Amino acid sequence: MIAILMHRYLVTPLRRLRQFAYYHDRIPPKQRLKEIESIRYSMMNTFKRLDDEQKTLYRNARTDSLSGLSNRQALQEYLKQTIADSEKTHSQFAFLFLDFDDFKAVNDSLGHDIGDQVIREASRVLVSEVRSHDFIARVGGDEFVIILKHFETLETLGAEIDELQRGLKNADLAGELNIHMNSSIGVSFYPKDGDDYVSLMQKADIAMFQAKREGKSRYHFYSHELNERVQKNIYLDKEMRQAVLNDEYSLFYQPKIDLNTKQVIGAEALIRWIRPDGEMISPVEFIPLAEENGFIVELGQWVLETALKQLQLWQTQCPNFVLSINVATKQLLEDSFLENFKELMSLYEINPSNVDLEITEYLFLEQNERNTGIIDELRQLGVSISLDDFGTGFSSLSYLKKFYVDQIKIDKAFIDDYQSESGAIFIETIIRMSESLKKNIIAEGVETEHQADYLRQAGCHYAQGFLFSKPLPIDAFEVYCQQNKSTSSS
């Protein structure tokens, strides 16, 4: 009898508790013995707490802590299942890679707390804009991935993306600070552009950067042609960096001419890339890429030092010769630029009056103390400042008031249009304005005697272009100057 009772109230419950320890879903019934019931109850609470903690860890491992959205891990898992489902149903879906435009400016100017607030509110807006059966994840600082399914045509998909970007742009993302955020989106498609996370992300990333290049605040679909262009740029990027080490760059010099005396008054230093086999790579191909990826800073430093080194020889022979050197905005805004420039001027014993730095209008987009200070410091050194390609970008008279420049260069596009009424009005207005502001003016891209005669009569005194000479290597340029000097004196 005692054995039966022990088996019923002790042995069997303990066996069930042991099974419960391995199989948590097999919960033993309530026990008669108080001690056994206490053990059972404790085990139930422990396993429940462990189960809750496991679920919380699982959820946290797949949730972005700042935005509350799914994270990269959750995206990869969702995408794997979605690809499997789409494979069975032979359906496609769109993979959107969204990146805020100029979000860094928010963090830099307002602080990371405000930046975090913008991310949280933007995430809420994005969730409200996508449908319940779509998916959204935050995968980086201001980067999001959205999976859109069940769209009928590219037009309807485009309308959805437009609506999403519009909702983000119109939302007030930081209360009274009135911050609105534009975005650029790249789109790839399963299965056309990729059949896994890596390939879809890579293609959408390529398309997103193309949207940035085209002016931001837009979307772009991935294409094979776009990929070929990107691969070419990747190859070109590697090659142009190696070209510095291989000494493949040279400076050519295009004469600047006094239209009244026809004498050479100076030159513009222009970079040329010549491969070992003699092939010349056009600056139109590699300069925009260098500006985009930041290599322009290193390349610009090479140009600056090479030009000043050459000027050291020329200034002793021609004391009034002025050499113009192009300086990119990114290069100019480098913290070390001014100090490096001063050191080079001292190293090569350059007379500042022989140096003209050509800058573009992009420096003027941010009219802050730092930008104006750079221009002021350079002018205090005694060098002159020229505004290149005037009229092609964001030129305005306000720039010329706030940023002192010594010379304005009229772009070739306007010189080519001098015979039209509007073209002539533009050129003559710029010449009159320059006279009023006491600034020199030079015309670029002069190719005919008619253009030169017109400019001279209109009051433009200086020019450069193929009418006088194409950009020349050093030896040919020096020969040209000697011939020009002899012709002028005779």
Side-chain angles (χ1 to χ4, degrees):
M1 187 65 175
I2 295 176
I4 293 173
L5 291 174
M6 287 187 64
H7 191 275
R8 177 182 295 178
Y9 295 112
L10 188 60
V11 176
T12 299
L14 287 174
R15 186 183 296 122
R16 287 174 177 169
L17 289 176
R18 185 179 64 181
Q19 291 175 339
F20 184 35
Y22 289 102
Y23 307 103
H24 300 167
D25 57 332
R26 300 180 184 179
I27 303 176
K30 191 173 182 179
Q31 300 299 307
R32 289 175 178 266
L33 285 177
K34 184 178 180 180
E35 291 78 3
I36 299 296
E37 173 58 21
S38 177
I39 295 173
R40 186 193 74 91
Y41 185 77
S42 296
M43 290 179 70
M44 282 178 56
N45 286 340
T46 299
F47 293 150
K48 183 180 183 304
R49 186 174 68 254
L50 289 173
D51 187 53
D52 290 343
E53 289 176 355
Q54 187 175 24
K55 289 178 180 177
T56 300
L57 287 172
Y58 181 89
R59 185 170 58 253
N60 290 344
R62 289 155 180 79
T63 303
D64 175 59
S65 60
L66 177 61
S67 66
L69 298 175
S70 297
N71 62 13
R72 192 183 296 266
Q73 175 67 28
L75 168 63
Q76 292 176 342
E77 292 175 358
Y78 176 86
L79 194 63
K80 185 176 181 180
Q81 183 59 51
T82 302
I83 288 174
D85 294 342
S86 299
E87 195 173 48
K88 292 176 184 176
T89 58
H90 303 288
S91 57
Q92 67 171 342
F93 61 82
F95 185 104
L96 278 60
F97 183 39
L98 181 151
D99 183 80
F100 294 160
D101 294 332
D102 304 314
F103 179 70
K104 184 176 182 295
V106 174
N107 277 332
D108 290 347
S109 59
L110 300 176
H112 288 275
D113 287 343
I114 297 299
D116 288 348
Q117 183 180 341
V118 169
I119 291 292
R120 282 192 293 268
E121 187 60 24
S123 299
R124 186 192 64 77
V125 172
L126 291 173
V127 169
S128 69
E129 292 292 339
V130 301
R131 300 164 299 185
S132 58
H133 56 265
D134 293 324
F135 180 89
I136 179 169
R138 178 174 176 244
V139 296
D142 60 336
E143 298 171 341
F144 300 80
V145 167
I146 303 169
I147 308 296
L148 297 182
K149 301 182 287 188
H150 311 307
F151 53 88
E152 295 180 2
T153 64
L154 291 181
E155 287 73 21
T156 59
L157 174 62
E160 287 185 48
I161 298 174
D162 280 333
E163 188 67 26
L164 188 151
Q165 289 184 302
R166 194 177 304 113
L168 188 61
K169 179 179 180 179
N170 293 335
D172 188 351
L173 302 178
E176 296 179 355
L177 292 175
N178 197 28
I179 296 175
H180 300 271
M181 193 60 61
N182 289 324
S183 61
S184 297
I185 297 177
V187 186
S188 60
F189 294 92
Y190 170 88
K192 180 177 74 71
D193 300 323
D195 58 4
D196 58 23
Y197 170 78
V198 173
S199 57
L200 288 169
M201 185 68 175
Q202 181 186 47
K203 306 297 174 54
D205 189 30
I206 290 172
M208 186 274 291
F209 272 103
Q210 184 61 25
K212 296 273 191 189
R213 291 189 191 99
E214 292 179 1
K216 304 179 181 179
S217 190
R218 65 193 66 207
Y219 64 87
H220 200 286
F221 293 144
Y222 172 81
S223 67
H224 178 67
E225 293 74 21
L226 177 59
N227 183 54
E228 285 188 337
R229 196 182 320 151
V230 170
Q231 295 304 319
K232 179 182 178 182
N233 283 346
I234 291 173
Y235 173 76
L236 188 63
D237 176 78
K238 179 182 177 182
E239 289 291 296
M240 69 181 181
R241 293 175 190 273
Q242 185 63 38
V244 174
L245 303 178
N246 295 346
D247 198 26
E248 295 177 16
Y249 293 110
S250 298
L251 287 186
F252 280 38
Y253 300 88
Q254 185 170 41
K256 291 184 177 184
I257 305 298
D258 184 318
L259 290 175
N260 295 309
T261 66
K262 299 297 177 68
Q263 288 188 324
V264 176
I265 58 169
E268 179 179 0
L270 298 165
I271 190 169
R272 294 294 184 263
W273 178 4
I274 306 173
R275 292 185 184 275
D277 61 3
E279 178 190 6
M280 183 177 288
I281 309 299
S282 170
V284 175
E285 288 189 46
F286 68 89
I287 291 297
L289 179 61
E291 290 178 337
E292 182 180 312
N293 62 23
F295 180 61
I296 195 66
V297 175
E298 180 180 346
L299 199 59
Q301 180 66 16
W302 179 90
V303 169
L304 192 62
E305 180 163 7
T306 304
L308 293 179
K309 187 176 182 180
Q310 181 59 45
L311 181 58
Q312 182 185 36
L313 301 175
W314 285 340
Q315 70 181 2
T316 57
Q317 303 165 8
C318 305
N320 297 323
F321 184 90
V322 177
L323 183 60
S324 294
I325 307 168
N326 291 279
V327 181
T329 299
K330 282 186 179 179
Q331 179 187 1
L332 199 65
L333 294 178
E334 281 284 301
D335 292 337
S336 59
F337 175 79
L338 280 171
E339 195 60 38
N340 288 340
F341 179 69
K342 292 176 184 177
E343 288 177 2
L344 290 174
M345 293 285 286
S346 174
L347 176 65
Y348 295 112
E349 300 177 331
I350 300 297
N351 183 342
S353 64
N354 294 123
V355 178
D356 175 59
L357 298 182
E358 293 195 10
I359 61 174
T360 64
E361 302 163 359
Y362 293 101
L363 178 67
F364 301 156
L365 293 183
E366 272 194 65
Q367 298 183 20
N368 55 41
E369 291 183 4
R370 182 188 178 198
N371 293 9
T372 55
I374 290 172
I375 299 299
D376 290 343
E377 282 202 55
L378 287 170
R379 295 195 69 255
Q380 287 173 14
L381 292 176
V383 303
S384 64
I385 305 293
S386 290
L387 178 58
D388 198 10
D389 302 332
F390 186 81
T392 60
F394 306 92
S395 302
S396 81
L397 292 176
S398 64
Y399 294 157
L400 300 181
K401 292 178 181 178
K402 294 183 179 182
F403 293 81
Y404 192 95
V405 298
D406 301 278
Q407 184 169 256
I408 298 172
K409 300 188 74 173
I410 304 179
D411 187 73
K412 180 181 185 299
F414 299 104
I415 304 302
D416 290 341
D417 194 38
Y418 83 102
Q419 289 181 312
S420 73
E421 182 179 358
S422 61
I425 290 173
F426 179 86
I427 293 172
E428 290 166 22
T429 299
I430 297 303
I431 293 173
R432 300 287 86 79
M433 178 197 72
S434 298
E435 290 175 347
S436 300
L437 295 174
K438 294 180 172 53
K439 300 180 187 299
N440 292 326
I441 192 160
I442 182 169
E444 294 184 286
V446 178
E447 296 181 346
T448 68
E449 288 287 357
H450 290 295
Q451 289 175 334
D453 290 340
Y454 163 75
L455 289 166
R456 183 170 53 253
Q457 292 169 14
C460 177
H461 303 298
Y462 308 108
Q464 65 185 94
F466 279 25
L467 171 63
F468 311 107
S469 173
K470 64 182 181 181
L472 301 168
I474 293 174
D475 291 344
F477 176 77
E478 291 178 342
V479 169
Y480 175 89
C481 289
Q482 286 297 326
Q483 292 175 342
N484 177 273
K485 187 176 181 180
S486 300
T487 303
S488 299
S489 60
S490 62

